[in-house]
Amino acid sequence: MTDTSASGPPISPRTIEVHGTAALLVDDSGRYLLHLRDANRPIWRPGTWALLGGGTEPGETCAEGIARELYEETGLTVPDLTPFVILDTLDASGTLKDRALVYRGTLNRPAHEIPLHEGIQLRWTHADETADMTMDPGAVAVIREHRRRPLPRLDSSGTPSTVRVREESEPRGRSIVGAHLVLVRDGAVLLGRRHPDSAFAPSTWHVPAGHREQGESALACMVREASEETGITLEASDLALVHTVDQHNSWSLVPRLQLFFAASRWSGEPEVLEPDRCTEWRWWPLDALPDRLVGYTRTALAAIARGESYTHLGWTE
């Protein structure tokens, strides 16, 4: 959404209640100078292509703030910086989250010749190229407004028009879902020894298992994995969820739900069908499991024996 208003006298940046600034730098070919921000730092819009700029310091005008930010980030001094638009970022509920005054300026200098002291990279970019880039939504909105109206539109007090960007709702947390088969015969459970070159748990015993694929239910995943790994045929109707391990690993940002299904019946004998992943299948007595057994699998089998349906591992609460 964009607010437009009548022309008026030049703006006095001190009259705008903003805490951020940005620079829309354009060359004579109509390209925009974009800045790839650091991806793994607690900063605004990490890992996106954005406009140069930053917050103002106490007692600093917006004009002083953007001049300082440009110099600190790139060593640049841009003489013709002019207030162009106010960029408001709203949260999903419509509440103002951030406000920045965006200045427009002209620059004709190869990006590789500009010293960059913050972030990853500078790039001169045509507007249509941004569709294939991971862009800061505010930068997209400002570029779109500049293409519609290259000159600033000021009201009678000299305030530029406002471009508003509304953020989507925070994404819900996601988990990786694993399906695990608990196949018990005569007091023994079927385990496979993982290949020595496996990235996960090499040369360690584990139940038949796998991750569900796109559009696949956990039950369908279990039926498929059992067939692909062991040649055993299952029916989804013969599977029952007997335990869930809710797992959070320190080395991964995404938690895992490890679902353990018991089969009331099946057909076939286990065979090594994926030798690059599993070197043998063996029936192990439940009271004499191997020492080298995947940790959460041992936890799940012990919990199943106690009649417990849920275990959480790695969570602080």
Side-chain angles (χ1 to χ4, degrees), residues 18-316:
V18 295
H19 300 288
T21 62
L24 180 70
L25 301 181
V26 188
D27 70 4
D28 289 344
S29 299
R31 298 179 302 173
Y32 302 94
L33 187 65
L34 296 180
H35 176 214
L36 181 58
R37 297 174 61 78
D38 291 304
N40 297 312
R41 295 178 57 193
I43 59 175
W44 179 260
R45 306 294 194 217
T48 63
W49 289 94
L51 305 179
L52 290 163
T56 57
E57 296 182 351
E60 194 175 49
T61 66
C62 291
E64 292 166 343
I66 189 58
R68 174 185 52 76
E69 286 287 343
L70 284 177
Y71 187 78
E72 289 177 353
E73 292 181 355
T74 64
L76 290 172
T77 299
V78 182
D80 68 339
L81 287 177
T82 304
F84 178 62
V85 293
I86 297 172
L87 174 62
D88 280 357
T89 301
L90 313 179
D91 64 18
S93 67
T95 302
L96 180 65
K97 183 177 180 179
D98 185 76
R99 173 170 287 165
L101 177 56
V102 181
Y103 288 78
R104 185 206 179 281
T106 305
L107 183 69
N108 290 286
R109 184 174 175 182
H112 69 273
E113 293 182 0
I114 302 172
L116 183 62
H117 307 302
E118 298 179 20
I120 307 299
Q121 182 183 350
L122 294 173
R123 182 183 193 273
W124 285 107
T125 306
H126 290 285
D128 56 3
E129 295 177 297
T130 61
D132 298 318
M133 301 167 66
T134 302
M135 293 289 298
D136 165 31
V140 173
V142 171
I143 290 172
R144 183 182 300 119
E145 178 67 7
H146 181 260
R147 286 171 62 82
R148 291 176 58 204
R149 300 186 180 95
L151 299 178
R153 295 169 62 88
L154 310 178
D155 66 14
S156 58
S157 67
T159 302
S161 60
T162 298
V163 173
R164 292 188 172 92
V165 175
R166 186 161 179 162
E167 296 188 333
E168 297 180 357
S169 299
E170 291 294 326
R172 294 180 181 269
R174 62 186 181 93
S175 298
I176 297 172
V177 176
H180 302 68
L181 181 61
V182 181
L183 212 58
V184 177
R185 183 172 69 184
D186 300 328
V189 63
L190 181 65
L191 299 176
R193 191 200 299 267
R194 296 180 60 78
H195 194 280
D197 294 334
S198 295
F200 170 70
S203 300
T204 304
W205 294 89
H206 194 29
V207 294
H211 298 124
R212 73 173 178 183
E213 298 178 351
Q214 184 70 30
E216 184 179 53
S217 72
L219 282 172
C221 171
M222 191 74 274
V223 171
R224 174 182 55 78
E225 288 287 351
S227 176
E228 292 175 354
E229 291 187 2
T230 72
I232 288 174
T233 300
L234 299 171
E235 296 292 338
S237 58
D238 294 325
L239 292 172
L241 179 64
V242 291
H243 197 75
T244 299
V245 176
D246 188 357
Q247 188 179 31
H248 183 271
N249 297 307
S250 60
W251 42 265
S252 175
L253 295 175
V254 183
R256 295 169 183 257
L257 282 177
Q258 313 287 20
L259 306 180
F260 286 76
F261 295 94
S264 59
R265 59 180 178 176
W266 66 91
S267 62
E269 289 295 321
E271 302 177 62
V272 176
L273 299 182
E274 296 179 333
D276 59 325
R277 299 183 180 183
C278 175
T279 58
E280 66 173 306
W281 295 105
R282 189 187 302 179
W283 296 93
W284 286 84
L286 284 166
D287 57 359
L289 296 173
D291 292 335
R292 290 182 62 84
L293 178 63
V294 170
Y296 74 82
T297 298
R298 186 185 300 277
T299 297
L301 292 176
I304 292 169
R306 296 190 299 267
E308 298 173 359
S309 61
Y310 174 84
T311 299
H312 62 91
L313 296 176
W315 297 97
T316 55

